[in-house]
Amino acid sequence: MSSETDPSAKKPRNLIDGSTLFVLALVLAGAALVYRRDGWPGVTAILVEDSWLFLDILPKVLAGCLIGAFVAAVLPREFVSRWIGGDSGLTGLVIATAIGAIMPGGPFTIYPLAGALLAVGAGVGPAVAFVTSWTLIGLNRAIIWEAPFLGVDFVTTRMLVSLPLPIVAGLLAHWLARLVPGGPR
Amino acid sequence: MSATLIVSLSLWVITIVLALVTWRQGRDVLREASRSGVLDFLYLIPRLAIGVIGAGFLAALLPQDVVRSWLGPESGFTGMLLATVAGAVTPGGPVIGFAIGASALKSGASYLAVMTYVTAWALFAFQRLIVWELPVMPTRVVWLRVVASLPLPILTALGVMLLTGRG
């Protein structure tokens, strides 16, 4: 693979696209139904609460996007593809799983970083292992959000059992990427 | 100091350290990378506004009783499949899947079903996929991830059975 930016790795940018409109339609339908059930107080209560949530995550989203951009700018493509590239094998999956487990933040850091790594030479398998690792064994998510609801016993059991799963998902995605044409491996 | 504050702080520490590393490669590199990061951010804002503010409406409409009833005490393979589907239709956001899982446990759902449900929600929550994942990841990789993750909720349930002897 050449050292230039792979055009297929960068998302095409349309301000409005199909999936955004789809979510918008779902949300408007939801808001209409909430209005019918609870009236304006119900609608505004949800609106106010979630607007705060939105404002609260905005700075973290900015940090996540900057982290992704800096990582993409700093890490040499050869370095990325050697360690977590499409041919990095089990080593790459283990490295990606480890980073995913300790990376702080939420979806606002994980997905931009995964996208940036893919753009500078990461393989599909390690990228999937990274996202899955954050999803299933990410420490900060488990401690902050899960344990208060489900208890430490539940969370530790779930995380112990999940330890090998990012590798499983990464391996499956790696094989699938070879079967499905049309993009990075 | 609250845990979320620690997360925010560590995020910005990482950002600043990376900015310094980038700056050492040259002012232009830093400027170009910052520009690209800020553009990504601007691109995400309208999507997040719709998705995050709208998630509350979807959550309010989610028939929580129905979802809970899918996590009934009956387990077995069908029970796990139902729990997987229930997880995928539960909206994203940091807590709703955990909250429903916790209340299902209290109202008598099986431990295994809730494990399966929470895992499926974490992996597949449909709205999180569209709002967060698709805008910044190559579409092909997103769907490869989803397909590759299909067996994971069931594998989790099997693992818990082996580890704890519950079944």
Side-chain angles (χ1 to χ4, degrees):
Chain A
M1 190 173 272
S2 73
S3 63
E4 308 150 40
T5 312
D6 182 354
S8 65
K10 198 79 188 160
K11 295 280 287 184
R13 289 298 164 87
N14 301 316
L15 198 59
I16 307 286
D17 54 27
S19 55
T20 311
L21 288 177
F22 176 70
V23 175
L24 184 62
L26 267 183
V27 165
L28 290 178
L33 286 170
V34 168
Y35 172 72
R36 269 190 46 181
R37 198 181 60 188
D38 306 329
W40 279 120
V43 174
T44 41
I46 292 176
L47 211 57
V48 168
E49 188 184 329
D50 285 353
S51 300
W52 277 117
L53 183 65
F54 174 65
L55 291 178
D56 180 55
I57 61 167
L58 271 187
K60 297 180 213 165
V61 176
L62 178 61
C65 290
L66 287 173
I67 289 175
F70 291 148
V71 165
V74 166
L75 285 186
R77 175 173 275 272
E78 302 77 58
F79 179 84
V80 174
S81 41
R82 168 144 50 102
W83 290 107
I84 53 170
D87 300 313
S88 60
L90 204 57
T91 320
L93 295 178
V94 171
I95 295 175
T97 302
I99 308 175
I102 57 167
M103 183 74 204
F108 34 78
T109 36
I110 299 309
Y111 297 122
L113 187 53
L117 289 173
L118 279 165
V120 292
V124 170
V128 166
F130 170 71
V131 170
T132 311
S133 167
W134 165 74
T135 313
L136 294 183
I137 55 180
L139 286 174
N140 111 67
R141 182 180 158 91
I143 293 168
I144 298 178
W145 302 112
E146 188 175 2
F149 281 97
L150 289 161
V152 174
D153 176 53
F154 184 98
V155 180
T156 12
T157 308
R158 198 190 56 65
M159 281 173 66
L160 265 179
V161 167
S162 298
L163 275 180
L165 297 184
I167 310 236
V168 173
L171 273 176
L172 281 175
H174 176 74
W175 287 326
L176 285 170
R178 263 137 224 266
L179 297 178
V180 183
R185 293 184 302 139
Chain B
M1 195 155 63
S2 77
T4 43
L5 193 62
I6 296 176
V7 170
S8 281
L9 272 181
S10 50
L11 270 184
W12 283 105
V13 170
I14 294 177
T15 311
I16 290 165
V17 170
L18 282 171
L20 288 174
V21 176
T22 314
W23 176 68
R24 281 182 52 130
Q25 308 224 333
R27 282 255 283 283
D28 289 347
V29 183
L30 178 64
R31 191 181 310 129
E32 196 41 51
S34 311
R35 208 180 82 92
S36 138
V38 171
L39 280 179
D40 284 348
F41 173 65
L42 295 176
Y43 170 79
L44 276 176
I45 286 180
R47 283 159 178 75
L48 294 182
I50 296 170
V52 174
I53 298 176
F57 294 116
L58 299 182
L61 289 176
L62 182 77
Q64 301 207 1
D65 294 339
V66 178
V67 172
R68 255 195 302 273
S69 73
W70 288 357
L71 308 177
E74 53 115 8
S75 52
F77 194 67
T78 326
M80 290 178 196
L81 280 185
L82 267 179
T84 304
V85 174
V89 300
T90 303
V95 293
I96 177 158
F98 298 139
I100 292 179
S103 69
L105 265 186
K106 281 188 197 109
S107 54
S110 83
Y111 196 71
L112 280 184
V114 175
M115 280 281 174
T116 316
Y117 169 75
V118 167
T119 305
W121 171 70
L123 289 169
F124 306 125
F126 185 62
Q127 168 252 357
R128 189 191 306 125
L129 206 86
I130 290 180
V131 172
W132 288 103
E133 194 169 0
L134 279 171
V136 291
M137 303 255 294
T139 313
R140 177 170 170 276
V141 178
V142 176
W143 297 120
L144 287 173
R145 182 191 74 73
V146 169
V147 175
S149 302
L150 285 177
L152 300 194
I154 307 272
L155 285 179
T156 306
L158 292 177
V160 173
M161 259 154 85
L162 283 176
L163 190 73
T164 66
R166 295 194 217 213

